[in-house]
Amino acid sequence: MKYPQWKGLTRCCVCGGKRFIQKNILWKELIQDWELSDDEVIAMNQQQGYTCTTCRSNLRSINLAAALMHEGGVSWAQLKHETFDHFCRFSSFAQTTSLLEINSVYTLTSRLKHCIHHTLASYPKYDMQHLLLPSHTYDIVVHADTLEHLPKKEKGLKECYRVLKKGGALLCTIPIVLTKLTRSRIGMKPSYHGKSFIRKHDYLVYTEFGADFWTYFLDAGFSRIELFTISGPNSLVIIARK
Ligand SMILES: [Zn+2]
């Protein structure tokens, strides 16, 4: 698969900033372990390392913010002017939506905390595979690059489904290698996200998601899967509806 050439964003919809830098996040060993093509390396570096210099949001977070705003009624045209900062303070979504954030979604967490019915459930107090939270409670569940770190991703997705109200939606990101099918890394050489094996935030990867990633969401019970992006296939937000 060839990724379309990408020219970058003109505006950050998290803060309204207009300057970006590209940091290359992937390192040689990970590229070898994951057997990534040159195109995949470029796309993943954009997803993780293309960063707004004002609010430090990367492309993945910017797309997740845009998806949440669109879910909250902000049109495509309005996305060119609205910021996530403003949206989380003043929109009707922020006043009325019950929202569960699982683990911190990085730069978005401090904004989401302004939403009145926001709950943050972070590991290790909360394990996505066994959420100690009531069923049918939330309109929105959101997490970013968490699923690949779960020994039992199916259980984690079923838990997201369980705590959602009927008609609710899970919005999440995962690293996806679109040229391959999903493979389990259990039994393979351990692969971590993060350059050092001893840093606390380095997490073991159990699953490399491929082009069939959406089937796991359907298997967990979700009735409809949508993809959202403002930047193309280099960074996708999965919207799974109950
Ligand atoms: Zn920004």
Side-chain angles (χ1 to χ4, degrees):
M1 176 194 160
K2 198 85 185 143
Y3 281 79
Q5 211 176 8
W6 187 59
K7 291 179 182 158
L9 300 178
T10 53
R11 179 181 171 277
C12 168
C13 66
V14 177
C15 73
K18 292 183 175 165
R19 300 190 131 196
F20 299 87
I21 49 166
Q22 173 66 57
K23 299 180 209 164
N24 288 333
I25 302 293
L26 302 191
W27 60 102
K28 202 174 158 189
E29 195 179 12
L30 185 131
I31 293 165
Q32 285 170 351
D33 287 349
W34 285 47
E35 300 170 68
L36 299 175
S37 69
D38 292 346
D39 259 21
E40 291 287 357
V41 171
I42 292 168
M44 280 212 175
N45 274 327
Q46 288 169 350
Q47 180 196 117
Q48 306 285 333
Y50 185 80
T51 307
C52 168
T53 58
T54 308
C55 74
R56 300 277 161 205
S57 295
N58 65 6
L59 187 60
R60 179 192 60 201
S61 296
I62 291 169
N63 267 305
L64 196 50
L68 282 162
M69 286 193 281
H70 195 51
E71 193 68 20
V74 178
S75 69
W76 283 98
Q78 289 167 331
L79 276 177
K80 291 178 182 163
H81 310 287
E82 177 67 298
T83 64
F84 198 60
D85 282 332
H86 182 268
F87 176 80
C88 288
R89 288 173 185 269
F90 302 113
S91 66
S92 61
F93 176 95
Q95 314 293 320
T96 60
T97 304
S98 56
L99 192 149
L100 173 66
E101 178 185 4
I102 301 176
N103 300 328
S104 171
V105 291
Y106 308 95
T107 55
L108 304 191
T109 300
S110 60
R111 276 105 181 163
L112 288 170
K113 282 181 176 169
H114 293 295
C115 295
I116 290 173
H117 307 288
H118 167 259
T119 303
L120 175 61
S122 290
Y123 187 81
K125 187 177 177 190
Y126 289 92
D127 180 344
M128 200 170 124
Q129 299 160 114
H130 310 279
L131 282 175
L132 299 174
L133 293 166
S135 303
H136 314 298
T137 303
Y138 300 98
D139 297 305
I140 298 285
V141 172
V142 59
H143 50 79
D145 288 24
T146 291
L147 211 53
E148 70 274 21
H149 299 291
L150 301 183
K152 294 179 180 168
K153 57 186 175 300
E154 296 84 357
K155 192 101 185 14
L157 283 172
K158 280 183 180 166
E159 281 291 85
C160 293
Y161 181 86
R162 180 183 65 78
V163 299
L164 276 168
K165 292 178 188 169
K166 184 150 180 62
L170 164 66
L171 280 78
C172 71
T173 62
I174 46 174
I176 304 167
V177 184
L178 286 171
T179 52
K180 300 188 177 81
L181 294 177
T182 299
R183 72 174 175 183
S184 167
R185 287 204 66 88
I186 295 172
M188 296 174 72
K189 179 187 166 195
S191 175
Y192 300 81
H193 287 173
K195 288 188 179 180
S196 162
F197 281 25
I198 54 170
R199 273 159 45 185
K200 277 188 177 170
H201 58 268
D202 289 344
Y203 292 121
L204 184 61
V205 175
Y206 288 92
T207 307
E208 291 173 17
F209 284 100
D212 57 343
F213 66 90
W214 54 276
T215 61
Y216 296 93
F217 293 77
L218 284 185
D219 287 348
F222 291 98
S223 59
R224 179 174 163 147
I225 315 300
E226 298 164 19
L227 298 179
F228 180 98
T229 177
I230 59 168
S231 64
N234 57 2
S235 175
L236 301 174
V237 177
I238 301 157
I239 304 174
R241 300 197 184 277
K242 182 168 179 177

